Structures are given as C-alpha cells and as structure tokens.
Amino acid sequence: MNNRKLKPQHRRLMYAIATFMIPLYTVATTTNSYANVPEKAELYQILGNHELSIRRGSNYGPAVVGSFLQKVYDTLFLPGNGKSFAQLRFQNAAGKDMGLQLQASTKNKQLTLYYLPCTAKQGDSLLIEWANQGSGKRACEYGVRVQRGVRNQTKFIDKNSSNIEPAKQLLIAQSSGTKLQYCSVAAADGRGWSGVSASEPCDEPIQQCLTSGGKECAAITRDEWSLRNETLIATVNCANNQSFSEKSSGSGMKDAVAKLWEQSQNQKAKFCALHVINSEQDEVIVAPKVPDRNLFQTRNTPNGIQVDVIAGIASVISAKNPQGVTLKPGQRYNYNGENQEDQIETFDNQVESIELQVYQAEARGLKLCDQEQVSGGQQGDSREIQLTANEGQINISYEMYNVPDRLKVSYEGQTLIDTDFVSGSNKVSAKFKGNSGRVKVEVIGNKDISTTQWKYTLYCPQ
C-alpha cells in the first residue's frame, strides 16, 4: 500500500495502530530493503562455559542455543569466570538474515555484555563479520559500538537466580542517570531524518520520511546517551566523506544533535548516520566501508581498544576522530584513550588468533570441542578438532561399550592420550600447551569383532 495516497486521517490511524503494536520502523520497510537496525539476534553457538544469561528489562533468565535477543537493549551476558564463546546472527522482524554475525569471547575474568541492537562491552574479544549481501541492507552496517570492558570482573549472571544480584548492581552502576535515545533514518534516495526521545526515537523520523514521500524508509542507527555525561561528541557521518561533529554535555546534547543534523541537511548531505560518543570512557564505533565481506577483530588492551582488519575495509569512529579512521586488511588500529596518541601498525594476517580459528572452524569443515564429534564402529575415525585455547587441559569422555576399541589424541605431532584397546566408558585428560588450536583424535575400531561400537566427546579446555 502506498501511504501517500491515503487521506490524512487514515494515515494517522495507520501510524497509531503501528505504534501501538510494534515500533514503526519495523513496518516501514519493503521486501527489497530493511532497516540496518536489526530486530533480533539469535544465539546459535555456545562453547566453553555455558552459564550465559539474557536480561529483558528487569527480568533475567538463562541463555541457551536458540535463544533470541528480541527487543532494543535486550542484553546477553557472558560470564567473567571462565572461557566462553558465544556466536550471534542478526535478523529483521520477518526472520530474514541480515548478513551480520558476531562472536564474543571471555578469557580474562572480564564480563562481556552485548546490547541489542548494536553495542557491546567486550570482556576480551569480538569478531564482527558483515557478509557480502549484494544490494541488501546489512544489520548494524553504520557501526557496532565497542566499549572496553572492566578488568578483573568475576561476577556474572547465571541460571541460579541467587547469583544475579552482583551483575544487576553492575548494570545499575553503568546505567545511572536518565537516558535519552536517538535514531537516524534514511530513505532510498539518501535523504535523512533524526529523532531524540526517552523511548521509540525512530517513530517520528520514520513518519517524517514517509510523509515526505520517502521510499524504503529505514532506521540505520539507534542508541542512547546519559544526561549525566559531562563530555559527549555527536557525529554525523555521511556519504562522499562528509562529516559533522559537535561537543556537548549530556544535558545539552539534544540541542547539539538538532543543530548538527540541520547543518548536514542544509549541505544536502546524503545517507547520514548519527552517533553520540562518550569521550569519558574507551569506546569506538566500527563500521564496514565496502559492500563485500568485512571481518574485524577487536580486543581490550591495557590502554584502550585494538581493531584488526582481517577482510574488507573498516572505519573506526571515536571521540578523538569523529570523522573516522580508515583501515585496510592487515592494518591494526590501537585506540589509546583520549589522552594518548593512537597508533596504526601492520600485523601478519596469516597468523590467526584462537578466536578467529574458532569462528572459522565450521566453514573449514572442522568440528568444535564441546560437541559429540562422532560415533562409529569397526571402521574407526580420524579427524582434527578445533579447541578454544592453545593451552590448558583437554578432557575427553568415551564410551566403548563391550567390545574394546582404541582412542588416541595428539597435539602438534605428540601423543597426549592413548587408551590402548579398552571397553566401557571413562573420562581422561591431559595438559597441553603450544601454538596450535587444534588436536587430532583417532579411534581405531576393533578389527576382530564387526559389531563393535563407540562414541566420544572432546570438551573445550578450561
């Protein structure tokens, strides 16, 4: 239906109904395009420590494979007391994949939080990949906000409700003060609108886009700021490298945003994305600059945040560089906070981090630890399995049933475990340390008894 052909009173009724039922930007898109702000994120892989949780408003519950973050600012928690890997993929309201996947991991007693739609407080590392979607709009394409996590954070939310209070207090501390939300909207022709409100900031600019004859009106950024922040930077980054920025306090930022947006529109800037950045903490906004595959890794450093470009081209926006720093594959950007000089250096793209190995394991045909790898019989089996660390303790449980079979585990050419031919079930372990993130597991089936059966599970190192 074309909203411009409706009578004004009918159009107002449509907006009222849509606003009552679901956010307006959800229904404003067409089948050929959809908002860059995702509607939901599916938790499709968990490795290591499984004590993950989701906060929805003031409610907390367990996060398992298949769980969804479904509302703005639904939050996924990864515990800071053990090695955890969680992988998310993002969808629009109709469940269509939006070409964004994210892997968060914790290793150093740092709590990780991912806030829907596009913000993460990283405990250790994030891997962010935008797929080559052709002409489709990708989730969070105008940037994922990455905040540096707090070191030595050991408390977490888990399935036992008695353990949630420390993390609730952490959230309260992080969220102190009244918040204002902001949204920027773009039409297919590049015209833009922005909105600021205490809730649903996308509704008004979407309505303005529609009533102005905009086609495929889409929310492209949505986030918030605290009125208590003393130093914030608003930045509007547009096509053709046009950039506008303004500094203000949290209480004055609403007026600063309005002024900045008017300036960008007066200069006929197209496809403009609004961000508000807190210069009082370490945070950057990482965005892809090409429509092809983009793969970036971010990590905490003692001084700030590190961004590695593995594939594609990145724009890294910060309070120091609101226009963005452009990075190519093999370049590393060290954002060192407001009072230190940043650095750009090169790194060896062929040397992969454990996090990257885990993220790409399935695409390479490798099984992952924590999964039942295989079961079989007399023919046996041999395969490489991806671990979540290159040191620690390997634990493997097996069931050989009544007929003896043999299980061997080797790492970097050295045998760690060799059960010889045994029957029954058991759990064995071995220490390991090296450069590789993979082990080789072999099962030698009993050659004399054709009815032999076996199975095993290799657990992620702890």
Side-chain angles (χ1 to χ4, degrees), residues 120-181:
K121 181 178 286 293
Q122 66 179 15
D124 183 63
S125 167
L126 295 176
L127 275 159
I128 311 168
E129 179 181 20
W130 285 270
N132 186 344
Q133 289 282 93
S135 60
K137 301 291 194 299
R138 300 178 292 189
C140 303
E141 188 159 19
Y142 286 83
V144 172
R145 179 190 300 271
V146 179
Q147 299 175 334
R148 180 170 172 265
V150 179
R151 292 193 174 274
N152 301 319
Q153 174 59 51
T154 60
K155 301 298 183 182
F156 64 98
I157 296 178
D158 70 6
K159 298 172 186 176
N160 183 346
S161 60
S162 66
N163 289 329
I164 71 174
E165 190 60 32
K168 287 175 66 175
Q169 297 305 318
L170 174 66
L171 279 174
I172 292 171
Q174 292 171 342
S175 304
S176 60
T178 304
K179 303 274 189 177
L180 280 179
Q181 299 181 32

Side-chain angles (χ1 to χ4, degrees), residues 75-131:
T75 306
L76 174 69
F77 293 78
L78 278 72
N81 67 336
K83 300 179 178 68
S84 294
F85 287 73
Q87 296 176 350
L88 294 167
R89 53 191 170 204
F90 295 75
Q91 303 173 7
N92 67 357
K96 183 177 179 180
D97 182 77
M98 295 183 69
L100 171 63
Q101 294 191 164
L102 181 143
Q103 175 181 280
S105 58
T106 60
K107 295 192 298 183
N108 302 321
K109 298 186 181 301
Q110 298 172 261
L111 186 71
T112 294
L113 301 90
Y114 184 85
Y115 307 86
L116 195 74
C118 305
T119 297
K121 181 178 286 293
Q122 66 179 15
D124 183 63
S125 167
L126 295 176
L127 275 159
I128 311 168
E129 179 181 20
W130 285 270

